[in-house]
């Protein structure tokens, strides 16, 4: 049975968080002399440490409570804080499924945590038959599942994820950075069903705010309280919060752009299939396509010369490149360059 106290590092469980001036006072006033801020300037005041306005908007959109939402400095902060809450450096372990998002590896190394990488099989799905020893290992405190997965683009089978959630006594983090491009349902709907579930999303992809660096995590209040203990007091700037709020207030524009990207993904797949050196285009629920070509290194370097930049994934998946879906004009430039190769 899952016990949150059992898997949280003792120093984190006993941690008294830093209380900022804006944590102690919430509301409006005429004069603020509490936070040692410069009284002059347009950006002289600290941002809301709890990002309440963003959470109120997201709560309505995602059908959750505001105390089930964490706003981070990119989803990378969601990942890093999880390591710091649940894994004792040099002792505990985490697990993920490869190939997948490389930041799990980097965060594990930074926090001195062994990251076990179980290979995906059969069209990049989880091999449950070889997973049980890791589910039973008390030192494995976290499992990261990227779905839709990067760089493969596919969604992980829902039944497999639910099996892991039900049979693992640690925390399961489902990274849904690309969920807005998928027809599948988000696991946010399950956060009240599984006390060990954290769902990570981002404003970098479908929301078009990669430069803003804001991510979100959805979980139960008990885990959220731990996140708020560990995070820096003002982890998301005023400018970044305002940019997110602008986007949240213009949902129709976001949805329109998603529709265009999905149409272009389908068109791009069809166009790529007509190119001789393209051997396979993998199914995608994301805003990119994983493509197997005759020679990934040669293709990548050639496209650089043509001023078209893609991602070479040859070292991760043999002779594969990853192509982000661009504007119709950008996609056309890519296709024309590949045809000339």
């Amino acid at each position: 049975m899952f016990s949150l106290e059992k898997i949280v590092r003792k120093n984190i469980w006993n941690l008294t968080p830093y209380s900022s001036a804006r944590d102690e006072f919430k509301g409006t006033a005429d004069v603020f002399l509490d936070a040692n801020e410069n009284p002059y300037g347009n950006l002289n005041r600290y941002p809301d440490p709890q990002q309440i306005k963003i959470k109120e908007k997201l709560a309505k959109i995602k059908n959750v409570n505001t105390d089930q939402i964490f706003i981070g400095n990119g989803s990378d902060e969601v990942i890093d804080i999880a390591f710091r809450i649940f894994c004792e450096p040099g002792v505990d372990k985490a697990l993920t499924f490869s190939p997948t998002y490389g930041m799990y590896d980097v965060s594990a190394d930074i926090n001195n945590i062994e990251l076990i990488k179980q290979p995906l099989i059969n069209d990049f799905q989880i091999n449950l038959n070889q997973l049980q020893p890791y589910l039973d290992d008390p030192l494995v405190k976290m499992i990261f599942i990227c779905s839709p997965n990067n760089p493969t683009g596919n969604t992980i089978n829902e039944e497999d994820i639910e099996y892991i959630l039900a049979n693992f006594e640690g925390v399961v983090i489902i990274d849904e950075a690309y969920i807005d491009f998928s027809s599948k349902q988000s696991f946010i709907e399950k956060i009240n069903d599984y006390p060990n579930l954290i769902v990570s999303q981002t404003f970098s992809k479908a929301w078009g705010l990669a430069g803003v660096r804001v991510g979100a995590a959805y979980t139960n209040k008990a885990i959220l309280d731990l996140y708020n203990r560990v995070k820096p007091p003002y982890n998301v700037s005023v400018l970044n919060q305002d940019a997110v709020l602008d986007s949240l207030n213009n949902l129709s524009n976001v949805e329109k752009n998603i529709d265009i990207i999905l149409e272009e993904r389908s068109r791009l797949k069809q166009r790529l299939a007509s190119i001789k050196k393209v051997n396979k285009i993998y199914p995608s629920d994301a805003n990119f396509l994983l493509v197997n070509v005759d020679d990934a290194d040669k293709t990548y370097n050639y496209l650089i010369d043509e001023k078209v930049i893609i991602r070479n994934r040859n070292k991760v998946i043999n002779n594969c490149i990853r192509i982000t879906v661009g504007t119709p004009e950008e996609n056309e430039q890519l296709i024309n360059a590949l045809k000339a190769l």
Side-chain angles (χ1 to χ4, degrees):
M1 178 180 253
F2 176 75
S3 168
L4 183 60
E5 184 175 358
K6 183 179 176 182
I7 68 163
V8 173
R9 292 170 56 188
K10 286 185 172 57
N11 65 307
I12 300 298
W13 190 261
N14 297 322
L15 177 68
T16 300
Y18 175 78
S19 180
S20 70
R22 294 299 179 265
D23 280 316
E24 294 175 6
F25 175 81
K26 298 179 178 66
T28 58
D30 294 329
V31 179
F32 286 94
L33 303 176
D34 57 342
N36 300 336
E37 298 156 321
N38 188 320
Y40 305 105
N42 295 322
L43 294 169
N44 57 318
R45 299 299 179 189
Y46 285 112
D48 174 10
Q50 296 300 326
Q51 307 93 27
I52 295 301
K53 291 181 179 179
I54 293 176
K55 290 178 181 177
E56 287 173 347
K57 292 280 185 182
L58 281 177
K60 293 178 181 178
I61 294 170
K62 303 293 184 179
N63 195 29
V64 297
N65 299 322
T66 56
D67 62 2
Q68 294 176 306
I69 306 171
F70 172 79
I71 303 299
N73 184 357
S75 56
D76 294 338
E77 185 174 42
V78 173
I79 296 166
D80 180 66
I81 288 179
F83 276 109
R84 288 190 276 155
I85 291 173
F86 300 111
C87 293
E88 194 69 47
V91 177
D92 291 327
K93 306 172 186 176
L95 181 144
T96 192
F97 305 93
S98 62
T100 193
Y101 181 42
M103 199 62 199
Y104 310 142
D105 234 329
V106 174
S107 283
D109 287 344
I110 290 170
N111 288 282
N112 192 23
I113 305 300
E114 179 185 347
L115 183 66
I116 301 163
K117 287 172 275 191
Q118 188 188 50
L120 294 169
I121 61 169
N122 300 333
D123 294 326
F124 305 121
Q125 293 296 334
I126 293 172
N127 184 359
L128 286 180
N129 293 330
Q130 296 184 2
L131 189 60
Q132 196 61 47
Y134 302 116
L135 299 181
D136 296 336
D137 187 344
L139 293 180
V140 177
K141 297 295 181 66
M142 293 194 300
I143 294 177
F144 289 93
I145 303 172
C146 189
S147 181
N149 188 36
N150 176 16
T152 60
N154 65 294
T155 301
I156 303 299
N157 287 334
E158 181 179 344
E159 296 81 6
D160 293 347
I161 296 176
E162 294 219 46
Y163 177 86
I164 293 169
L165 283 163
N167 291 277
F168 180 52
E169 294 186 4
V171 166
V172 178
I173 300 178
I174 303 177
D175 187 343
E176 292 185 341
Y178 302 95
I179 193 65
D180 296 293
F181 303 106
S182 173
S183 60
K184 306 295 193 299
Q185 292 296 312
S186 167
F187 263 83
I188 289 176
E189 296 182 351
K190 308 280 187 179
I191 60 174
N192 293 320
D193 299 332
Y194 296 102
N196 58 339
L197 172 61
I198 299 172
V199 178
S200 174
Q201 293 188 0
T202 181
F203 287 91
S204 295
K205 309 301 180 183
W207 295 83
L209 295 174
V212 169
R213 307 309 305 130
V214 176
Y218 302 86
T219 186
N220 58 70
K221 186 178 183 300
I223 291 178
L224 191 80
D225 287 344
L226 293 168
Y227 263 83
N228 286 329
R229 287 188 206 179
V230 174
K231 81 172 185 71
Y234 303 109
N235 60 325
V236 180
S237 77
V238 171
L239 295 173
N240 293 5
Q241 289 190 44
D242 286 347
V244 170
L245 283 169
D246 284 344
S247 200
L248 287 169
N249 288 326
N250 289 280
L251 278 179
S252 60
N253 189 54
V254 174
E255 291 167 352
K256 176 184 175 183
N257 289 337
I258 291 172
D259 288 341
I260 293 172
I261 290 169
L262 293 178
E263 289 174 8
E264 281 300 299
R265 184 181 72 188
S266 178
R267 192 177 76 90
L268 183 60
K269 184 176 181 179
Q270 291 177 349
R271 298 292 300 279
L272 286 168
S274 67
I275 295 173
K276 291 180 180 179
K277 293 184 180 295
V278 170
N279 301 317
K280 182 174 182 177
I281 306 163
Y282 289 90
S284 176
D285 290 318
N287 68 329
F288 61 83
L289 295 170
L290 182 70
V291 182
N292 180 274
V293 295
D294 283 351
D295 189 328
D297 293 341
K298 180 180 178 181
T299 302
Y300 174 73
N301 291 324
Y302 165 78
L303 287 173
I304 288 177
D305 292 337
E306 296 297 313
K307 308 300 182 184
V308 177
I309 310 302
I310 58 166
R311 194 78 189 269
N312 187 357
R313 299 281 76 190
N314 185 36
K315 292 182 180 179
V316 179
I317 307 169
N318 187 47
N319 273 334
C320 279
I321 56 176
R322 193 190 70 192
I323 301 172
T324 305
V325 179
T327 65
E329 295 77 19
E330 290 170 336
N331 298 333
E332 190 67 24
Q333 187 173 342
L334 165 75
I335 293 296
N336 290 336
L338 286 174
K339 283 183 174 180
L341 175 60

